[in-house]
Amino acid sequence: DKCADSQEATAKCMDCNKFLCAFHVESHKKSKKLSTHNVQHLSTLSKIQEEGTNTLSAVKGIQATIKYCPKHKAEPLALFCFTCNEAICRDCALKSHKDDDFDFVAEIAEKDKLQIIEEVDYLTSLEKLVQDSFNGVESTLTQLQENRNKALSDIEAAEEEQINLLKQAANELKTQLDEAYNQKQESVNVQQKQLKETLSDMKASIQFIRNTYELASPLEMIQIKRQVFNKSDEMQNRFQSANLNPVHIDTLHFESRRKTNQNKNKSSNPSSSSSSSSSSPTNGSTTATTPTPSSTTTSTNSTTK
């Protein structure tokens, strides 16, 4: 391979895509604009080929990516003119663009690459901030869900606790009701038994007295007159001592705390005093109020005449 001056080539500039002799290699190294070019010695390229790399294909690939000057067909567009904003070759730079501001494409690309890298780094830092914010929002949503679930669990636990308290209070009220009922039932049973005995004795006495004036002779009537009036006095005394007023079923009733509070509010209003007094518990009654979630209040009063 020969260089541009037909000297034996010892290297190749990968940026200029030109074979270089030893003199041109040194010129590349000393030139300010060419010193950064990628110059590969032919021995190195041969070694790469020996190691299994298809150097010819690689070189052709590099050549395929290089664009050539439309005016100077053999010259690659290795420079870029900032004044005209276009790619140029070396011949263009020495002739029509000699007074323009231009530089090698490789060097410009390297500078631009650094700027792009900086821009990407800056955008990456912004991305990290957005990602951190997104993670924070996700963490907030997770915490919000956990708080909601805990609050719901606490509500359900409180609900269960209040239900148990209400059930306990209801059982206590039922026990009080049964006690009041049994007490009243016993009183009614005693009254019923006494009235039944009195009624039986009165029927027997009335029948005895009726038989006296219907079946007895005048003499017999005179003889048993005192006995008849004694029996009548006895029955009248039994009548006077008998409890003829049975316990009414409305003396056992239940009133919720809400209704009790409503009645209190009505009683504090003069216009509703008459209705409030009619709903107050009477003597001999059993009342119970429903418990609130924080307390249970019951009241039982029982009196038997």
Side-chain angles (χ1 to χ4, degrees):
D1 293 323
K2 304 292 183 178
C3 70
D5 295 337
S6 298
Q7 298 297 321
E8 188 70 25
T10 59
K12 183 175 183 177
C13 177
M14 307 306 293
D15 294 285
C16 298
N17 195 28
K18 295 288 186 179
F19 288 101
L20 306 175
C21 64
F23 175 78
H24 286 147
V25 169
E26 292 299 322
S27 298
H28 258 66
K29 292 180 179 179
K30 294 178 180 180
S31 174
K32 183 178 180 180
K33 293 185 177 181
L34 302 178
S35 60
T36 59
H37 282 201
N38 181 17
V39 177
Q40 296 288 340
H41 287 277
L42 296 181
S43 59
T44 302
L45 296 177
S46 298
K47 185 177 180 180
I48 294 174
Q49 186 176 19
E50 290 175 0
E51 291 176 353
T53 303
N54 191 343
T55 306
L56 181 61
S57 298
V59 172
K60 288 183 178 179
I62 294 173
Q63 292 177 338
T65 60
I66 297 176
K67 295 183 179 181
Y68 290 87
C69 180
K71 294 180 181 180
H72 311 95
K73 305 297 183 180
E75 293 294 329
L77 296 174
L79 300 98
F80 186 84
C81 177
F82 294 103
T83 305
C84 301
N85 194 31
E86 64 178 352
I88 59 176
C89 68
R90 289 187 303 174
D91 291 348
C92 291
L94 296 174
K95 296 178 182 179
S96 58
H97 294 270
K98 63 181 179 179
D99 296 326
D100 293 348
D101 181 18
F102 59 84
D103 201 349
F104 284 99
V105 170
E107 295 182 4
I108 298 172
E110 186 66 24
K111 294 177 182 177
D112 291 345
K113 180 180 179 181
L114 293 176
Q115 293 179 352
I116 293 174
I117 290 174
E118 291 179 357
E119 196 71 14
V120 171
D121 290 342
Y122 178 68
L123 290 176
T124 301
S125 66
L126 297 182
E127 179 194 20
K128 184 178 183 303
L129 293 176
V130 175
Q131 182 66 49
D132 292 343
S133 178
F134 178 79
N135 293 340
V137 171
E138 280 195 330
S139 177
T140 300
L141 287 175
T142 301
Q143 185 64 41
L144 181 63
Q145 182 67 30
E146 291 177 354
N147 292 344
R148 186 260 182 191
N149 292 339
K150 183 178 183 304
L152 180 61
S153 177
D154 292 342
I155 291 173
E156 290 175 347
E159 176 188 21
E160 185 68 21
E161 180 182 1
Q162 298 309 316
I163 290 175
N164 291 334
L165 287 175
L166 287 172
K167 288 181 177 180
Q168 180 181 354
N171 290 334
E172 292 176 358
L173 290 174
K174 291 175 182 178
T175 300
Q176 295 178 20
L177 177 62
D178 288 340
E179 291 175 354
Y181 170 78
N182 293 334
Q183 183 179 0
K184 291 181 180 295
Q185 185 185 43
E186 183 179 358
S187 299
V188 173
N189 288 338
V190 170
Q191 182 186 25
Q192 183 186 40
K193 181 179 178 181
Q194 292 174 349
L195 290 176
K196 185 176 181 180
E197 292 175 352
T198 301
L199 182 61
S200 177
D201 291 343
M202 289 188 71
K203 286 184 177 181
S205 298
I206 291 172
Q207 187 62 41
F208 170 76
I209 296 173
R210 182 178 287 115
N211 290 338
T212 300
Y213 70 78
E214 289 181 352
L215 302 177
S217 63
L219 180 59
E220 290 175 337
M221 185 177 299
I222 294 173
Q223 291 175 342
I224 64 174
K225 174 183 176 181
R226 177 54 56 187
Q227 184 179 355
V228 169
F229 282 99
N230 289 337
K231 181 63 69 172
S232 177
D233 292 340
E234 179 185 353
M235 289 300 99
Q236 291 182 41
N237 291 333
R238 291 278 296 277
F239 173 80
Q240 294 296 331
S241 62
N243 183 7
L244 303 179
N245 298 317
V247 178
H248 298 289
I249 59 173
D250 60 353
T251 57
L252 280 176
H253 70 279
F254 169 80
E255 187 175 85
S256 65
R257 171 162 293 179
R258 177 178 295 180
K259 187 174 181 181
T260 302
N261 292 335
Q262 290 175 350
N263 290 338
K264 288 182 179 179
N265 293 334
K266 289 180 180 179
S267 63
S268 62
N269 187 351
S271 61
S272 60
S273 59
S274 59
S275 61
S276 299
S277 60
S278 62
S279 61
S280 300
T282 59
N283 188 25
S285 67
T286 299
T287 62
T289 57
T290 55
T292 61
S294 59
S295 64
T296 302
T297 303
T298 57
S299 158
T300 305
N301 297 319
S302 179
T303 303
T304 304
K305 294 183 180 179

